[in-house]
Amino acid sequence: MTTALKAPPLGPMLDDIVRGHRPHRVSGSVPANIPLLAAVPFNRFGIAVATASGEVFSSGDADVPFSIQSISKVFTLAMALRGDSSGTLWSRVLREPSGTSFNSLVQLELEHGIPRNPFINSGALVVTDHLMEETSDAATQVLRFLTAQAASTGPFIDEAAAAGELAGSSRNLALAHFLKDFGNLNRTAESVVENYVRQCSIMMTCVELAKAGLFLARDGRGARGTVVSPSDAKRIGSIMLTCGMYDAAGEFAYRVGLPGKSGVGGGILVIVPGECAICVWSPRLDAKGNSLAGTAALADLSDRTGWSVF
Amino acid sequence: MTTALKAPPLGPMLDDIVRGHRPHRVSGSVPANIPLLAAVPFNRFGIAVATASGEVFSSGDADVPFSIQSISKVFTLAMALRGDSSGTLWSRVLREPSGTSFNSLVQLELEHGIPRNPFINSGALVVTDHLMEETSDAATQVLRFLTAQAASTGPFIDEAAAAGELAGSSRNLALAHFLKDFGNLNRTAESVVENYVRQCSIMMTCVELAKAGLFLARDGRGARGTVVSPSDAKRIGSIMLTCGMYDAAGEFAYRVGLPGKSGVGGGILVIVPGECAICVWSPRLDAKGNSLAGTAALADLSDRTGWSVF
Amino acid sequence: MTTALKAPPLGPMLDDIVRGHRPHRVSGSVPANIPLLAAVPFNRFGIAVATASGEVFSSGDADVPFSIQSISKVFTLAMALRGDSSGTLWSRVLREPSGTSFNSLVQLELEHGIPRNPFINSGALVVTDHLMEETSDAATQVLRFLTAQAASTGPFIDEAAAAGELAGSSRNLALAHFLKDFGNLNRTAESVVENYVRQCSIMMTCVELAKAGLFLARDGRGARGTVVSPSDAKRIGSIMLTCGMYDAAGEFAYRVGLPGKSGVGGGILVIVPGECAICVWSPRLDAKGNSLAGTAALADLSDRTGWSVF
Amino acid sequence: MTTALKAPPLGPMLDDIVRGHRPHRVSGSVPANIPLLAAVPFNRFGIAVATASGEVFSSGDADVPFSIQSISKVFTLAMALRGDSSGTLWSRVLREPSGTSFNSLVQLELEHGIPRNPFINSGALVVTDHLMEETSDAATQVLRFLTAQAASTGPFIDEAAAAGELAGSSRNLALAHFLKDFGNLNRTAESVVENYVRQCSIMMTCVELAKAGLFLARDGRGARGTVVSPSDAKRIGSIMLTCGMYDAAGEFAYRVGLPGKSGVGGGILVIVPGECAICVWSPRLDAKGNSLAGTAALADLSDRTGWSVF
């Protein structure tokens, strides 16, 4: 259950969290297959909180753009659900924790081409394919959506980074062809992976991401009106809580107790239902692929504020 | 986020839920390997709500005892955490969703004998083994705990049922010997399985179970003082949400949005943090082993009351 | 152990086998993903034996060309071993039975991109990639090899069939990209799959295939001199026996007792070491993907002649 | 194909093999869970050949008894087939290579309790259970069989070793209870494992084992008449070739080219159809659980003699 924040005030608290959690020496890892991500200085750390009442608090490198990577999956899912008048999306992807690595083909084979949830790579490819039914350039649509929600012209697709990441996308191409083989992909494998990689290569700041994710804390109401229904907003939150942190969803729920979604760019988006959206960013990752300093900072923030859904 | 209940009053609402969800014809299944469970009439349906303020509402067969089965795992986990001064429990069992069936040996082999979480059978056997370090008759300890929390002398171990279930416990014996082989069981496989089966054979009513589980909605404070710390109470809730409904945890979080734990006896215990504990019971199960009518009733109740952690 | 053939003479025996095993009604299946194979009349049945002494016996539809499909893997393996002066092939593919389906990605993931053997699809893609180091048009090289060994200008690549099969090659593309991701493919996934599919689309008759495979029964000596060393000939035989019949290698060794390699075109190539090479063809397949009538005919022939390595 | 042995004479050749392959320093491993096996001096090495014509050649420690362990599975399979008038054995166990470790529970779960072949532990437990339908003391029956075939009163069950091994048999007990759960075990899990362990604890010399296995090289004819039919003798050979060396069956077929069965006591029994049975023994094991020096010696012997079924 969330507890209303009394004191201390949020601004100084975020400053304190930046002081306590910004890395002082190199630890953790960076994704081996995405060269540009490895070039980010290890000691970057930013945090932003966008509240339901319209305030934004931030500290550290909260205005430095970073690659949102898998955090994009939250927004493509919301867009797909918004447009899913036929209600077919949930016949193509499940909503269960996977218990396996985010890019594993094993479970996909055992379950005949139906991904376990929209946040593992195979599931996100299906969601992207679903979005492409409306427009073949789904990545640009996602960018427009984020720009509108963040009320900022800052977000952009780093096309050079996307091209570099695409060159190392053999695993995602394998997943996409595998989905195609099971009949669970309408567009070509190559075009879906390209759109997926470009979505992941969107660059945003902590402040922009917190604002963009706020609709999930506000029963689906975003910057320009309803994004998704209240029940879909709750449901996206439930999927974030059970599936949002790769193979460490249980550990994150245990330590932080809030719906979250991480990306290998080092960002984590967290929702406090009814209260606020939080984005933290620090580039070095733990063994499960989640931001090392970011996860620790969120646990700290949860302890200090009492924010937890439990 | 939980929403304070305004109207309609809870009593009539539970009556209405019983009217709407009590099965009128046989559907779903019963566990093949536990004969006594199959004998329960298909149209049993009860529901009880124990509130943080001390009230209890109930309707239907809420005073009929049933076999709590895996719901016992919530209580043995709480007891083990309470007594885990050495902090060793979490080195023997993880806190991640399993993505596989509740009694699968596959993941246990791949992960070298460390169960994925305390609510799959292998994890519960480890928790039971942990409890047995204090007393070899762990099942009786669990019964005493439940009797005290429920403030009722009603709960009892159905020893005949336990003996029958033990005779069909080959799968659990396989799991226990497998854990033993990996060095993750201190007592003999046979004694741990026996204690586990006897815990599962505890008979309780919906009213008793809701009252016994209330400490989880009250920051760990039970009928006779603190059961677990506030943080442990939250953490048990997070494990229930991510792992409590066998291989349908994600679906349950999506539909109901509350921490829950089901048993193949047809009961489900649900926690509304800060508000109440709910127990629903109806014996026929869906394909994942969760009460068919019980799950539907909880989704209905969640919609009517707005109770949801998201 | 092989037993020298005494009587009855081979010609009449083959006629008798054709009479006994040619299908009279539709049974078994055809590969769903390769339309052209499904169009072959169900009652085609041919058999040919090429002996070490230079004779060729045949009966039935032994001069009707059919798609050799996976039988090509025996020849690409021989060609790759012949040219493997660096000895690197066996660091890229193992020689163990797989215990799983011929096109499964599961084992490939668990074993980090090293295929279990050269006769499952992933292994054959690695062998093809290996061949392509010499010439990018490996399929044409394979055709030339077969033409030379069969001493016949008959074999040809059915390019229309190959194009059709390529369009349905999502699974093989998934495997190839997956191998690429593990660093076990040098050429592009697309080019390797294209070469692989064109090799599989080579059309040959039973007589031609029996002659082409004879070098394996003659310590590696083919129509135009040494193809592979005697030890490599034996070793290819051992891989055929343990891995040549998809997931039915054990059953085939048990019933027939000879090294064999089947294709989903309905052909089976069998080696009787020191004696002869046999090719049987009938298009309808059993559940494991091996020719139904072909397997039965070979078991019959093994019983009548005593041919068996055991 | 087997090649008749010409020269050099077998006696001196075995002496030469002992000189070349007896270990001079500690390498490889011993089974961690069977203490008595670890106590055998690392430099033990013996070899014996029993020919179809009745001669026996041997060298090194060929008269030192060792624990036959899994080599017993060849004989229990032969005994079970001999007595399987109902023909039910092959409905309870398959004949395919497993592709996984000898004591894995994974495949057993995926294939619903039907072991992949009689030489992995789960399959051997089913065979033992089958034997126990005739006599509850199956181990003593196996001992009698071996004594008769070896024409020696030497073989004995090391009951102390068996008791020690039984105490560490958690994995086998897990397999047995798992089989029981799937309905593929008639006797109790405990009694089957006890019989299985006692069979494995039979002590024999290389000379005795070579003589006892000779019936498999002689179309099923043993020391005292027919043991199994010629076709069953061939079929046991085919199972040895495809499944006899744990997860290295393909490698052994590739290097040695003969049907073999190894045990973690360091022994390997090999059949040269029509010619002879060979037993080699050296206690240190490779990573797959097969005798390190024994495997090398057999590859050497195969090269020198030309003995190979391919």
Side-chain angles (χ1 to χ4, degrees):
Chain A
M1 189 185 65
T2 61
T3 302
L5 178 71
K6 293 290 159 34
L10 202 45
M13 191 190 291
L14 296 186
D15 292 340
D16 199 48
I17 279 180
V18 170
R19 270 191 298 275
H21 292 281
R22 185 192 291 277
H24 294 299
R25 50 191 181 78
V26 177
S27 64
S29 61
V30 287
N33 60 330
I34 312 180
L36 280 178
L37 295 184
V40 180
F42 74 91
N43 60 353
R44 288 284 182 275
F45 185 97
I47 188 164
V49 177
T51 72
S53 57
E55 291 178 289
V56 176
F57 302 87
S58 68
S59 188
D61 303 313
D63 291 311
V64 178
F66 63 90
S67 182
I68 68 171
Q69 293 293 320
S70 290
I71 300 175
S72 62
K73 292 168 182 172
V74 173
F75 300 103
T76 53
L77 175 60
M79 293 170 70
L81 283 176
R82 185 179 57 172
D84 187 37
S85 52
S86 60
T88 58
L89 182 65
W90 294 126
S91 66
R92 297 177 62 188
V93 58
L94 302 176
R95 288 160 294 197
E96 293 301 325
S98 74
T100 56
S101 175
F102 68 98
N103 60 4
S104 171
L105 285 90
V106 169
Q107 203 154 29
L108 199 55
E109 178 163 341
L110 296 180
E111 301 194 357
H112 308 292
I114 307 297
R116 273 248 136 186
N117 65 65
F119 291 166
I120 53 174
N121 286 16
S122 54
L125 291 169
V126 167
V127 171
T128 298
D129 185 62
H130 197 86
L131 279 185
M132 289 172 71
E133 285 175 26
E134 292 176 29
T135 165
S136 61
D137 188 356
T140 297
Q141 284 300 107
V142 175
L143 179 66
R144 275 186 203 143
F145 176 87
L146 290 169
T147 300
Q149 293 302 320
S152 160
T153 57
F156 66 99
I157 299 176
D158 185 338
E159 299 283 2
E165 195 169 331
L166 198 56
S169 286
S170 295
R171 178 68 72 115
N172 283 328
L173 281 163
L175 286 166
H177 282 289
F178 205 30
L179 289 165
K180 189 88 182 170
D181 182 56
F182 281 113
N184 200 4
L185 215 65
N186 295 320
R187 301 293 175 123
T188 66
E190 289 80 7
S191 67
V192 174
V193 170
E194 190 202 342
N195 262 282
Y196 170 75
V197 167
R198 289 178 65 232
Q199 290 157 20
C200 289
S201 299
I202 291 176
M203 301 291 289
M204 292 176 79
T205 67
C206 286
V207 167
E208 289 162 352
L209 264 172
K211 289 166 72 179
L214 187 56
F215 73 94
L216 291 169
R218 295 178 71 236
D219 281 341
R221 296 189 311 278
R224 301 184 180 184
T226 295
V227 176
V228 294
S229 69
S231 65
D232 272 343
K234 288 186 181 198
R235 285 161 176 181
I236 293 172
S238 80
I239 299 172
M240 293 174 76
L241 194 84
T242 52
C243 318
M245 303 297 287
Y246 305 123
D247 196 25
E251 190 65 22
F252 191 81
Y254 184 86
R255 285 183 67 193
V256 178
L258 292 167
K261 180 73 203 83
S262 63
V264 290
I268 306 175
L269 175 66
V270 162
I271 305 303
V272 187
E275 296 281 340
C276 60
I278 308 166
C279 181
V280 64
W281 168 59
S282 187
R284 309 292 297 191
L285 310 176
D286 64 20
K288 298 291 176 72
N290 299 310
S291 175
L292 204 50
T295 304
L298 289 166
D300 189 357
L301 184 63
S302 169
D303 287 347
R304 293 182 189 217
T305 58
W307 285 338
S308 164
V309 300
F310 299 108
Chain B
M1 189 187 66
T2 61
T3 302
L5 179 71
K6 293 291 162 31
L10 203 44
M13 190 190 294
L14 296 186
D15 291 341
D16 199 47
I17 279 179
V18 170
R19 271 191 298 274
H21 292 280
R22 185 192 291 277
H24 293 300
R25 51 191 179 77
V26 176
S27 63
S29 61
V30 286
N33 59 330
I34 312 180
L36 279 179
L37 297 184
V40 180
F42 74 91
N43 62 352
R44 285 287 180 273
F45 184 98
I47 187 165
V49 177
T51 72
S53 57
E55 290 179 291
V56 176
F57 301 88
S58 69
S59 187
D61 302 313
D63 290 312
V64 177
F66 63 91
S67 184
I68 67 171
Q69 294 291 323
S70 290
I71 300 175
S72 63
K73 292 170 182 171
V74 173
F75 300 104
T76 53
L77 174 61
M79 292 171 71
L81 284 176
R82 185 179 55 172
D84 187 36
S85 52
S86 61
T88 57
L89 183 65
W90 294 126
S91 65
R92 297 177 61 188
V93 58
L94 303 175
R95 287 159 295 197
E96 294 300 324
S98 74
T100 56
S101 176
F102 68 98
N103 60 4
S104 170
L105 284 90
V106 169
Q107 204 153 29
L108 199 56
E109 177 163 341
L110 297 179
E111 302 194 357
H112 307 293
I114 307 296
R116 273 249 134 187
N117 65 64
F119 291 166
I120 54 175
N121 286 16
S122 54
L125 291 169
V126 167
V127 172
T128 298
D129 184 60
H130 197 86
L131 279 185
M132 289 171 73
E133 286 176 24
E134 293 176 29
T135 166
S136 60
D137 187 356
T140 296
Q141 285 299 107
V142 175
L143 178 65
R144 277 189 202 140
F145 176 88
L146 290 168
T147 300
Q149 293 302 321
S152 160
T153 58
F156 65 98
I157 299 176
D158 186 337
E159 300 282 3
E165 196 170 332
L166 197 57
S169 285
S170 295
R171 178 68 72 115
N172 284 327
L173 281 164
L175 286 166
H177 282 290
F178 206 28
L179 289 165
K180 189 88 183 170
D181 182 55
F182 281 114
N184 200 4
L185 214 65
N186 295 319
R187 301 292 176 125
T188 66
E190 289 79 7
S191 67
V192 174
V193 170
E194 190 202 342
N195 262 281
Y196 169 77
V197 167
R198 289 177 65 230
Q199 288 158 21
C200 289
S201 299
I202 290 175
M203 301 291 289
M204 291 175 78
T205 68
C206 286
V207 167
E208 289 162 351
L209 263 172
K211 289 167 72 179
L214 186 56
F215 72 95
L216 291 169
R218 295 180 70 239
D219 282 338
R221 296 188 312 278
R224 300 185 179 181
T226 295
V227 175
V228 292
S229 70
S231 65
D232 272 344
K234 288 186 180 197
R235 286 163 174 179
I236 293 172
S238 81
I239 300 173
M240 292 173 76
L241 194 84
T242 51
C243 318
M245 302 297 287
Y246 305 124
D247 197 26
E251 190 65 24
F252 190 81
Y254 185 87
R255 286 182 67 193
V256 177
L258 292 168
K261 182 71 204 85
S262 63
V264 292
I268 306 177
L269 174 67
V270 163
I271 304 302
V272 188
E275 297 279 340
C276 61
I278 307 167
C279 181
V280 64
W281 168 58
S282 188
R284 308 295 296 193
L285 309 178
D286 63 21
K288 299 291 177 71
N290 299 311
S291 173
L292 205 50
T295 304
L298 288 168
D300 189 356
L301 184 63
S302 169
D303 287 346
R304 294 183 190 217
T305 57
W307 286 337
S308 166
V309 300
F310 300 109
Chain C
M1 188 185 68
T2 61
T3 303
L5 179 71
K6 292 294 161 29
L10 203 43
M13 191 190 292
L14 296 187
D15 292 341
D16 199 48
I17 279 179
V18 170
R19 271 191 299 274
H21 292 281
R22 185 192 291 277
H24 293 300
R25 51 192 181 77
V26 176
S27 63
S29 60
V30 286
N33 60 330
I34 311 180
L36 280 178
L37 295 184
V40 180
F42 74 91
N43 62 353
R44 288 285 182 274
F45 186 97
I47 189 166
V49 177
T51 72
S53 57
E55 291 179 290
V56 176
F57 301 87
S58 70
S59 188
D61 302 314
D63 291 310
V64 177
F66 63 91
S67 183
I68 69 171
Q69 292 294 321
S70 289
I71 301 175
S72 62
K73 291 170 181 170
V74 174
F75 300 105
T76 53
L77 175 60
M79 292 171 71
L81 283 177
R82 185 179 57 173
D84 187 36
S85 52
S86 61
T88 57
L89 183 64
W90 294 125
S91 66
R92 298 178 59 188
V93 58
L94 302 176
R95 289 160 293 198
E96 293 301 324
S98 74
T100 55
S101 176
F102 67 97
N103 61 4
S104 170
L105 283 91
V106 170
Q107 204 153 30
L108 199 56
E109 178 163 339
L110 296 179
E111 303 196 356
H112 308 292
I114 307 296
R116 273 250 134 186
N117 66 64
F119 291 167
I120 54 176
N121 286 16
S122 54
L125 291 169
V126 168
V127 171
T128 297
D129 183 62
H130 197 86
L131 278 184
M132 289 172 73
E133 285 176 25
E134 293 177 30
T135 167
S136 61
D137 188 355
T140 297
Q141 284 300 106
V142 174
L143 179 66
R144 277 189 202 141
F145 176 88
L146 289 168
T147 301
Q149 293 302 320
S152 160
T153 58
F156 65 99
I157 298 176
D158 186 337
E159 299 283 4
E165 196 170 331
L166 197 56
S169 284
S170 294
R171 178 68 72 115
N172 284 327
L173 281 163
L175 286 167
H177 282 290
F178 205 28
L179 289 165
K180 189 88 182 169
D181 181 56
F182 281 114
N184 200 3
L185 215 65
N186 295 319
R187 302 292 176 124
T188 66
E190 291 78 7
S191 66
V192 173
V193 170
E194 190 203 344
N195 261 280
Y196 170 74
V197 167
R198 289 177 65 230
Q199 289 158 21
C200 289
S201 298
I202 291 176
M203 302 290 289
M204 291 177 78
T205 67
C206 286
V207 166
E208 289 162 352
L209 262 173
K211 289 167 72 179
L214 187 56
F215 72 94
L216 290 170
R218 295 178 69 238
D219 281 341
R221 296 187 314 277
R224 300 181 180 185
T226 295
V227 174
V228 292
S229 69
S231 66
D232 272 344
K234 287 184 181 197
R235 286 162 174 180
I236 293 172
S238 81
I239 299 172
M240 294 174 75
L241 194 82
T242 52
C243 317
M245 303 298 286
Y246 305 123
D247 197 26
E251 190 66 23
F252 191 81
Y254 185 86
R255 284 183 67 192
V256 177
L258 293 167
K261 182 72 205 84
S262 62
V264 290
I268 306 175
L269 174 66
V270 163
I271 305 302
V272 187
E275 298 279 339
C276 61
I278 307 167
C279 182
V280 65
W281 169 57
S282 187
R284 308 294 294 192
L285 308 178
D286 63 22
K288 299 292 178 71
N290 299 309
S291 174
L292 204 51
T295 303
L298 287 167
D300 189 356
L301 184 63
S302 169
D303 287 346
R304 293 183 191 216
T305 59
W307 286 338
S308 165
V309 300
F310 299 108
Chain D
M1 185 185 67
T2 61
T3 303
L5 177 71
K6 292 292 160 30
L10 202 44
M13 189 189 292
L14 296 187
D15 292 340
D16 199 49
I17 279 179
V18 170
R19 271 190 298 274
H21 292 281
R22 185 193 291 275
H24 292 300
R25 52 191 180 78
V26 176
S27 63
S29 60
V30 287
N33 61 331
I34 312 180
L36 280 178
L37 296 184
V40 180
F42 74 91
N43 62 351
R44 286 286 181 274
F45 185 98
I47 188 165
V49 177
T51 72
S53 57
E55 289 177 291
V56 176
F57 301 88
S58 69
S59 188
D61 302 314
D63 290 313
V64 177
F66 62 91
S67 183
I68 67 171
Q69 293 292 322
S70 289
I71 300 175
S72 63
K73 292 169 181 170
V74 174
F75 300 105
T76 53
L77 175 60
M79 291 170 72
L81 284 176
R82 185 179 58 173
D84 187 36
S85 52
S86 60
T88 57
L89 182 64
W90 295 125
S91 67
R92 298 178 60 188
V93 58
L94 303 176
R95 286 159 297 196
E96 294 300 326
S98 73
T100 55
S101 176
F102 67 99
N103 60 4
S104 170
L105 285 90
V106 171
Q107 204 154 29
L108 199 56
E109 178 163 341
L110 296 179
E111 302 195 358
H112 308 292
I114 307 296
R116 273 249 134 185
N117 65 65
F119 291 165
I120 53 176
N121 285 16
S122 54
L125 291 169
V126 167
V127 171
T128 297
D129 184 61
H130 197 85
L131 278 184
M132 288 172 73
E133 285 176 25
E134 292 175 30
T135 167
S136 61
D137 187 356
T140 297
Q141 284 299 107
V142 175
L143 179 66
R144 276 188 202 141
F145 176 87
L146 289 168
T147 301
Q149 293 302 319
S152 160
T153 57
F156 65 100
I157 298 176
D158 185 338
E159 300 283 3
E165 195 170 331
L166 198 55
S169 285
S170 295
R171 178 69 72 114
N172 284 327
L173 280 163
L175 287 166
H177 282 289
F178 206 29
L179 289 165
K180 189 88 184 171
D181 182 55
F182 282 114
N184 200 3
L185 214 63
N186 295 320
R187 300 293 175 124
T188 65
E190 290 79 8
S191 66
V192 173
V193 170
E194 190 202 344
N195 262 280
Y196 169 75
V197 167
R198 289 177 67 231
Q199 289 158 21
C200 289
S201 299
I202 291 176
M203 301 292 288
M204 291 177 76
T205 68
C206 286
V207 166
E208 288 162 354
L209 263 173
K211 289 167 73 178
L214 187 56
F215 72 94
L216 290 169
R218 295 178 70 236
D219 282 341
R221 295 189 311 280
R224 300 183 179 182
T226 295
V227 175
V228 293
S229 69
S231 66
D232 272 344
K234 289 185 180 197
R235 286 163 174 180
I236 293 173
S238 80
I239 299 172
M240 292 174 77
L241 196 83
T242 52
C243 317
M245 304 297 287
Y246 304 124
D247 197 25
E251 191 65 24
F252 191 81
Y254 185 85
R255 284 182 69 193
V256 177
L258 293 167
K261 182 73 204 81
S262 63
V264 291
I268 307 175
L269 175 66
V270 162
I271 305 302
V272 188
E275 297 281 339
C276 60
I278 307 168
C279 181
V280 64
W281 169 58
S282 187
R284 308 294 296 192
L285 309 178
D286 63 21
K288 299 292 178 72
N290 299 310
S291 174
L292 204 52
T295 304
L298 288 167
D300 188 357
L301 184 63
S302 170
D303 287 346
R304 293 183 190 216
T305 58
W307 286 339
S308 166
V309 300
F310 300 108

